[in-house]
Amino acid sequence: MPGSLVAVIDYGSGNLRSAERALLRAAEGGSDAEIRVTADPEWVRRAERIVLPGVGAFADCMAGLLGIPGMIDAMDEAVRRQGRPFLGICVGMQLLATEGREHGRHAGLGWIVGEVVRLQPGDAALKVPQTGWNELSFSRPDHPLLAGLEPGDHAYFVHSYHLRPRDGGVALAETDYGGPVLAALAAGNIAGTQFHPEKSQRTGLRLLANFLKWRP
Amino acid sequence: MLKRRVIPCLDVKDGRTVKGIGFVDLKDAGDPVELARRYDAEGADELAFLDIAASVEGRGTLLELVRRTAAECFMPLMVGGGVSTVEDVRQLLLAGADKASINTAAVREPELVSRAAAKFGSQCITVAVDAKQVGSARWEVFTHGGRKPTGLDAVDWSRRMAELGAGEILLTSMDRDGSQAGYDLELTRRVVEAVPVPVIASGGAGGLDHMAQVLAETGVSAVLAASIFHFGRHTIGEAKRAIAAAGIPVRLGR
């Protein structure tokens, strides 16, 4: 049934299988989602939901997306014109920004006005990358993507850069790493997490299950 | 606040978990996937697989193990042992590992670390440093599972690896490994102070107080231990409660 298709975009970034397997597990509780890892823009255009995982450097990942003819157009059509639910994970969220400043300045998708900059924790003892489990605080606790989660729940982060949106109102959750760091965002049908829900055990699987049911 | 991590390590050989003392004298500790499942349920913050045979023939077995584990355990997974090319890293990541740990190959070819980091991001690349004390406040890097001296100073080497793009240092004291005499605090402290990236302390955990001690006294980001968990002496939960009781931020529950 094409209506329940969830496209996980394969653009050469590592660890797609983890996202796929976690979505499969999250779908077990009553979702009819069909999870498909794909590099084919046609599947993305047809998908009911779209997930953009991401591991690696901003510019490399952006180049990976641009390297698939028609992929960004298909994402634009499905997400921005048709309003289908979208979830970017880690660098997949960062790519939404206007600009990334990892190893130079690089244009992102520009769906969220903002920039991706290096973590500069206020406390000099904090290491970069931030690696490990950190607590979430909720900017919009009633958002359906956070259903069943509690402030103070932990999620797994591993990143050296973070997205600073111009409009702070898009924030869904934050974490503290020597200062506030955007942990999740939602703007209309477009969502993203800086942490890895596919690696965040119960908390992450719940967020993915919420995404599969989300009707923005 | 970012929590300090407790990482159970599964030394694997031919598809089984083993644990030796001082890198030899191996003892069978069970099916790795079964152990991984248990640690996941107990709230481990991450899992480490180290392929101690690291043979070319064993590669497929290791990848299959990673795949089976990643299909069930939705938590970070670090895999090391015999990683010697960018392609090896890619294979591990595709199988479901989050981080590849590079040891011997980094000494042979330091640029491998920068190439792998440029390709997959620093956060995927851990450099494992096996260090043995060779003098007062001097530790030397050993490779090939602790058999081969390199002449490299462990603190300088860790710093260089971070500069080349390692996102994390897995620091093992060979003097303490399997001894259950506690982590090497002095070595750990020096490496933590030398590098801007997280450091994992390994080698010597004999009791829960050893974990709390190295976390409290060195600023290390994570502790790794094997036998203390494998043979049912302690659960991950017990370790974390002991660490929390010492006032160190740790994730309780799951």
Side-chain angles (χ1 to χ4, degrees), chain B residues 8 40-41 44 49 53 136 143 151 168 174 181 185-186 223:
Chain B
D40 182 25
F49 278 171
S136 161
T143 58
E168 191 165 59
M174 292 177 48
L185 300 177
E186 186 59 26
V223 284

Side-chain angles (χ1 to χ4, degrees), chain A residues 25-59:
Chain A
R25 176 63 63 92
E28 278 172 10
S31 163
D32 64 347
E34 183 205 335
I35 316 294
R36 176 182 284 263
V37 175
T38 181
D40 182 348
E42 273 317 301
W43 283 109
V44 172
R45 214 179 286 273
R46 269 187 259 169
E48 193 196 328
R49 292 168 201 279
I50 293 158
V51 177
L52 184 67
V55 169
F58 186 97

Side-chain angles (χ1 to χ4, degrees), chain B residues 160-172:
Chain B
R160 169 134 188 256
M161 288 296 95
E163 283 165 6
L164 284 182
E168 191 165 59
I169 301 292
L170 166 54
L171 177 66
T172 301

Side-chain angles (χ1 to χ4, degrees), chain A residues 86-105:
Chain A
F86 173 94
L87 179 68
I89 297 173
C90 196
V91 181
M93 173 179 93
Q94 295 182 356
L95 293 177
L96 299 174
T98 322
E99 183 177 276
R101 298 198 181 158
E102 182 174 1
H103 310 305
R105 298 171 74 131

Side-chain angles (χ1 to χ4, degrees), chain A residues 6-8 16-29 31 33 35-37 49-53 87 89 197-198 204-205 207-209 211-212, chain B residues 74:
Chain A
V6 179
V8 179
L16 297 164
R17 297 294 158 190
S18 293
E20 178 193 21
R21 281 184 285 244
L23 283 161
L24 283 168
R25 176 63 63 92
E28 278 172 10
S31 163
I35 316 294
R36 176 182 284 263
V37 175
R49 292 168 201 279
I50 293 158
V51 177
L52 184 67
L87 179 68
I89 297 173
E198 77 280 18
L205 292 177
L207 184 134
L208 293 176
F211 172 71
L212 293 176
Chain B
F74 299 99

Side-chain angles (χ1 to χ4, degrees), chain A residues 12-18 21-23 25 55-57 60 125-135 154-160 175-177 196-203 205, chain B residues 1-3 5 40 43-46 67 70-77 93-99 118-121 123-124 167-168 192-193 195-198 219 221 250-252 254:
Chain A
S13 161
N15 225 351
L16 297 164
R17 297 294 158 190
S18 293
R21 281 184 285 244
L23 283 161
R25 176 63 63 92
V55 169
D60 274 4
L126 294 176
K127 305 285 192 177
V128 176
Q130 168 173 227
T131 304
W133 297 81
N134 205 338
E135 288 157 351
H154 289 84
Y156 185 78
F157 291 82
V158 52
H159 62 125
S160 300
T175 195
D176 181 75
Y177 197 59
H196 286 274
E198 77 280 18
K199 293 289 168 182
S200 294
Q201 293 176 333
R202 186 198 63 83
T203 300
L205 292 177
Chain B
M1 184 193 283
L2 183 72
K3 301 303 188 290
R5 287 169 283 151
D40 182 25
D45 295 313
E46 196 170 316
R67 267 190 287 272
E72 296 191 45
C73 300
F74 299 99
M75 61 189 303
L77 183 56
L93 297 180
L94 283 176
D98 299 281
K99 297 189 256 188
K119 179 90 185 144
F120 306 108
Q123 80 290 333
C124 295
E168 191 165 59
V192 168
E193 283 168 5
V195 300
V197 299
S221 299
V250 68
R251 184 180 66 121
L252 296 169
R254 177 176 173 264

